[in-house]
Amino acid sequence: MIDKDSTNRANIKEAALAEALQRYAGARGALIPLLQEAQEIYGYLPQEVMQTIATALKIPFSKVYGVATFYTQFHLKPRGRNIIRVCQGTACHVRGGARLLEAISAALGVGKNETTPDGLFTLETVACLGSCGLAPVMMVNEETYGRLTPEKIPAILEMYRGEAVIAAG
Amino acid sequence: MADVTLTIDGKKITVPAGTTVLQAAREKGIFIPTLCHDPKLSPWGGCRLCVVEIEGMRGLPASCVTTATEGMVVQTASPAVLEARRMLLELLLANHPQDCLTCSKNGACSLQDYAYYYGVRGDQFQGEKHAYPVEADNPFIVRDLNKCVLCGKCIRVCDEVQVNNAIDFAHRGFNTRVTPAMDLSLKESEACVFCGNCVQVCPVGALVEKASLWQGRQWELTKVRTTCTFCGVGCNLEVSVKDDRVVRVRGYDNPLVNNGWLCVKGRFGADFADSPERVARPLIRTGARGEGRFREATWDEALDYTARRLTEIKEQYGSRAIAALSSARCTNEENYLMQKFMRAVIGSNNVDHCART
Amino acid sequence: MRDLKEWRQTLQQQDRPADRPSLTVGMSTCGQAAGGARVMAALEAEVKRLGLQVDISQTSCIGMCYAEPIVEVALPGKPRVFYGDMTPERGGRLVASHVVQGVPVREWALIQLPGNASPYEGIPVMPASPYYGRQVRVVTSRLGLTDPESLAEYIATGGYAALEKCLRQMTPEQVVEEIKTSGLRGRGGAGFPTGLKWGFTRSAPGEKKYVVCNADEGDPGAFMDRSVLEGDPFAVIEGMTIAAYAIGADEGYIYCRAEYPLAIKRLKMAIAAAEAKGLLGSNILGSGFNFELHIKAGAGAFVCGEETALLASIEGRRGMPRVRPPFPAQQGLWGKPTNINNVETYANVPYIIQNGGRWFAAMGTEKSKGTKVFCLTGKVKKTGLIEVPMGITLREIIFDIAGGIQDDRRFKAVQIGGPSGGCLPADKLDLPVDYDSLTRAGAIMGSGGMVVMDENTCMVDVARFFLNFTQVESCGKCTPCREGTKRMLEILTRICAGEGRMEDLDTLEGLARVVKNTALCGLGQTCPNPILSTLQNFRHEYEAHIKDKRCPAHVCQALLVYTIDPEKCTGCGACTRACPAGAISGEKKQPHRIDPALCIKCGSCMEKCKFGAISRL
């Protein structure tokens, strides 16, 4: 079932990309709008997608990559539905920010700037969130969590996993 | 086009309209440093080392992309210009490994030359430096992006001369780097054909020939002009030799033939010259076909043998039993002679060439 | 459509059915961020609950950002009243009092528009209010007062009369002349005369030409273009159409940054509406003139505000500037002659055509004509979007319009022109605001960001902030900008961390000068301005950081010293618990002390102390 679903989703995305390529066929200056649409479809710019666009537009892949890495809007790695940003400020560092990062990394099974295979979480770090009194701190999306310990992490992550299930159901 | 007359460093110079200030200055032997400029490539205007002072113009324009106009008054070495060039060199050196002692480019490096010329030690700024891994996963080119000054000449030569588009700038600002797609190595990208023209235009040690590493320093090399033997085009080479060994091959700037550019074979294929496998004398087979047993012979013996056997075969089986295969390594004249020999002397049209398909 | 005038008259007659009250909520990006949507929902619920016949609609930014969310109440035959700081909770009383009983809630009211009706007592009339009294609203004249998504309202308020005038009565040359007469200069930064630019593009050889609108407003602290695009998209489109007619172009692009989704949405709607009515596309107003307009969404690169980078981006390349000449007027988009102006410049055009270049030239100073829109932010009482005649002084803007400094603290500086601009100190307050005076003073007009700073702002930190911005946004093409911004930022960061040396100041100055002189594009050439202007006007602050290891504004964290006053400390221990570094010690009920070696200067202790015993030096 799951396989069928994911194949289905992949097909839908492929069809959407093909439709976009069709729409821009022969248009000038189509690279950036197409990358934007592809990112809308896939959530990021996978290598194969950039390659497909390069071939379709007859633009060398090296140039497509040059453009994709120039503009901050484009992400070349998948980003999760929830962005976790662990504070690396001085206060958090002193209060075990590094251990916290390790704990989250272990709980998710991904490293810094990586996304879980299920696409739920992306783990990032941030210079300082300015909530030093609550150190160590992390942000999940727009929500700040303070006075964290490695023990508190699973429960917080579970909350977002639960939301995802509800959203999917 | 009409001519314009401008004044550079007090000298009146008349040049055709459309000439850049840099070209005009260089024609009169006035020194202006450049890293990103190459007359054979499109203008870029990125390194800014060629800035000059021009009366009535704001700031210090880059002479390589400024067109000379009538009555223009240019100073190429005013205090502001010198201050700017020194600062720009400081900035480039602040983000450059200072390992000239062992750098392949030592003695032929534009950055080193200019730093010396302007007395810039590169110690004014201490800050972040790039720490890219050096790329050496292919047999031909060593790519050290830490030494790259982002002049972009490699990209332009790849786009405009080789028309291969294998590399481009990626990322931006301080993190800008020249790379194939996906930050792969040249080899991994499968887009690079290793013509090595990028190596030839690189003004610094970011791109160097792998085979030349540790083989000889710039001032120990003798440069010999010759013709490439790989095919009939006849590209002109500048071969650097040390102790009778070929150390490096570059294109010789002959606009009538290859204009200085080379392909992978001409540039990187010179290792055959010193190969122990190279057949340097005629060999005559002694055993059965395929057995691989040969004996050395003199040229006279070998030629006599060949002539005798050709005559025998022709008499016994007819002319069409003989075919000849020629090589792209021969000159066009030699190839011509070969087919002439086959048709006129042997009487066969069975002629072929290794580069036909 | 052939007769616009007739349609306009019909629209004006049926405009705003006067038989029922209306509620209008400011729903530009800032209005929405302040909670405009929740206010609107609450009003809708209240009206429904009471079963009232009331029109509820949205408008754009009237400019009083300090008072968002803003709601307008209009009763038939009565002046329109604008309320500020609205909340969903206030909706009930507003509806009950003003809508139902006809009695405005005076304490929440900001201004009223007089119109033909006699004004309510006790509410300032817009032109006489302190905020609007010195403003002259041309480009912003519709903002907050009309529905930006309605072509009918645009036309009813005089829209497209200018285009009609151009197409029916003026030759393209006459249009160019009219713009020249007006003295309009580019509102995007450098202030190049617009009429001259149009003339160049018009006379450039070539069949195919383009007009491009630069809507890539990326300066931190600037939102003029966003406000105009969100509030009056048709004016920008009309201005571009007139420009196209004048220079002989049949195709145009609006390059808008992707971070402005509402602006892009409204532009798309406006383009579709104009096309549907024959005001855009082929044979506009039956004149035979064609103009096709596209929108390009930027992809996140500040440097694309530079015109050659912008063109590269539209063409689908890396947004790296190239050397000019050739100027876009000669070789622009895809090598064709291209006229590039920014949003505000185009938005001025319909008014100039309609009222004549002389009318426009009568406003402003000798060399800077007309009005300019500014975004007033920072430590002023009233932040917002204002439009003032050129030549007004900084003092009038900051103290008369914006009501002075927050909490009546001391004015320290005003930063004009964003990352390309400079910081002007108090002795420049009487400077007239025009292109040349600002440039002479070391700032620039820029696109119109104006950030006011008070004594609690550290000028070294401000310079560092802007350099951090430009360093991240440098495209990387030219050496001085790519490497120079990095080193300038490193030096400033060092100084802010208390690790600066006096010789750093000379290095910084020299480096800034070289970057300014040698960088390829405007971004690089102007990015040292925040450093040069603060070094010039606030050198003593740099010296305090370096020599005394002290940040006079108490901003630079590394230089702060936290101490506990033993007289005031009760030994409650709240600070000890708050300190993340374990730097505070002391017996219970005894004065505590902070170990400076352990203190990380986060300020948590100071926030927690109820007795004001902790001070920061």
Side-chain angles (χ1 to χ4, degrees), chain C residues 66 376-383 398-399 402-411 452-456:
Chain C
Y66 67 95
L376 208 44
T377 57
K379 310 265 182 89
V380 283
K381 285 185 181 157
K382 295 176 186 168
T383 57
I398 294 165
F399 288 92
I405 309 297
Q406 267 173 14
D407 303 327
D408 291 319
R409 278 194 295 265
R410 256 210 355 249
F411 168 89
V452 178
M453 295 156 185
D454 68 7
E455 57 206 37
N456 291 344

Side-chain angles (χ1 to χ4, degrees), chain C residues 198-537:
Chain C
W198 289 19
F200 289 151
T201 320
R202 168 151 193 87
S203 55
E207 280 291 297
K208 180 80 186 175
K209 291 175 186 176
Y210 293 96
V211 288
V212 170
C213 176
N214 184 347
D216 192 46
E217 178 177 64
D219 297 20
F223 48 89
M224 297 76 51
D225 292 351
R226 174 176 63 70
S227 304
V228 172
L229 289 172
E230 288 177 0
D232 204 0
F234 289 106
V236 180
I237 293 169
E238 188 184 352
M240 287 186 78
T241 313
I242 292 170
Y245 174 72
I247 67 159
D250 63 354
E251 205 174 346
Y253 287 88
I254 301 177
Y255 186 89
C256 184
R257 66 195 298 238
E259 292 85 345
Y260 286 177
L262 185 60
I264 292 177
K265 183 187 137 215
R266 290 206 170 134
L267 279 171
K268 280 186 177 158
M269 291 176 71
I271 288 174
E275 276 172 353
K277 291 286 179 192
L279 295 162
L280 204 57
S282 349
N283 195 19
I284 294 172
L285 288 168
S287 66
F289 166 64
N290 308 322
F291 182 54
E292 197 187 335
L293 189 53
H294 316 276
I295 298 174
K296 282 269 180 182
F302 175 71
V303 68
C304 288
E306 197 278 344
E307 59 182 17
T308 59
L310 184 149
L311 294 177
S313 187
I314 293 181
E315 291 174 7
R317 294 182 286 119
R318 291 166 60 87
M320 293 193 291
R322 64 158 172 80
V323 175
R324 300 172 303 178
F327 287 93
Q330 269 83 46
Q331 276 177 45
L333 201 54
W334 289 297
K336 307 293 181 201
T338 301
N339 181 73
I340 308 179
N341 289 125
N342 90 328
V343 172
E344 192 185 336
T345 315
Y346 283 124
N348 266 303
V349 167
Y351 299 98
I352 292 171
I353 296 298
Q354 225 174 330
N355 302 313
R358 287 221 176 78
W359 159 83
F360 190 82
M363 295 184 283
T365 66
E366 194 199 332
K367 286 189 175 162
S368 303
K369 304 295 189 193
T371 61
K372 177 78 191 87
V373 183
F374 286 102
C375 288
L376 208 44
T377 57
K379 310 265 182 89
V380 283
K381 285 185 181 157
K382 295 176 186 168
T383 57
L385 181 83
I386 61 165
E387 184 171 1
V388 288
M390 293 275 193
I392 192 171
T393 66
L394 288 167
R395 189 185 300 281
E396 287 171 295
I397 292 177
I398 294 165
F399 288 92
D400 297 346
I401 296 175
I405 309 297
Q406 267 173 14
D407 303 327
D408 291 319
R409 278 194 295 265
R410 256 210 355 249
F411 168 89
K412 184 190 267 185
V414 54
Q415 211 280 350
I416 305 176
S420 310
C423 291
L424 302 180
D427 64 18
K428 298 278 187 337
L429 270 175
D430 292 307
L431 199 72
V433 174
D434 63 63
Y435 290 98
D436 312 290
S437 307
L438 287 178
T439 307
R440 265 199 306 276
I444 60 162
M445 181 75 81
S447 51
M450 208 178 252
V451 187
V452 178
M453 295 156 185
D454 68 7
E455 57 206 37
N456 291 344
T457 314
C458 169
M459 302 314 286
V460 187
D461 182 63
V462 165
R464 192 182 60 96
F465 171 82
F466 281 112
L467 253 293
N468 189 40
F469 179 85
T470 35
Q471 196 264 321
V472 169
E473 294 296 341
S474 167
C475 84
K477 177 170 175 175
C478 78
T479 311
C481 180
R482 181 185 68 238
E483 310 288 336
T485 52
K486 179 82 181 172
R487 302 307 162 206
M488 289 192 284
L489 175 62
E490 282 174 348
I491 295 175
L492 288 168
T493 305
R494 246 193 352 248
I495 296 175
C496 288
E499 293 158 12
R501 299 177 297 260
M502 278 311 282
E503 56 268 31
D504 281 343
L505 295 186
D506 289 336
T507 308
L508 200 55
E509 206 159 11
L511 182 51
R513 185 168 55 236
V514 169
V515 173
K516 191 181 173 107
N517 277 335
T518 62
L520 193 158
C521 81
L523 170 68
Q525 287 161 11
T526 58
C527 75
N529 284 348
I531 297 180
L532 289 169
S533 68
T534 48
L535 267 177
Q536 188 193 331
N537 298 315

Side-chain angles (χ1 to χ4, degrees), chain A residues 45-47 50 60-67 69-72 76, chain B residues 155 159 164-172 179-184:
Chain A
L45 293 174
Q47 175 171 351
M50 286 194 282
F61 190 22
S62 62
K63 310 283 157 193
V64 173
Y65 184 70
V67 168
T69 54
F70 185 85
Y71 297 98
T72 51
L76 273 64
Chain B
I155 299 170
D159 290 357
N164 197 40
N165 310 107
I167 48 175
D168 196 4
F169 290 113
H171 311 278
R172 77 175 186 212
T179 172
M182 305 312 294
D183 279 286
L184 295 172

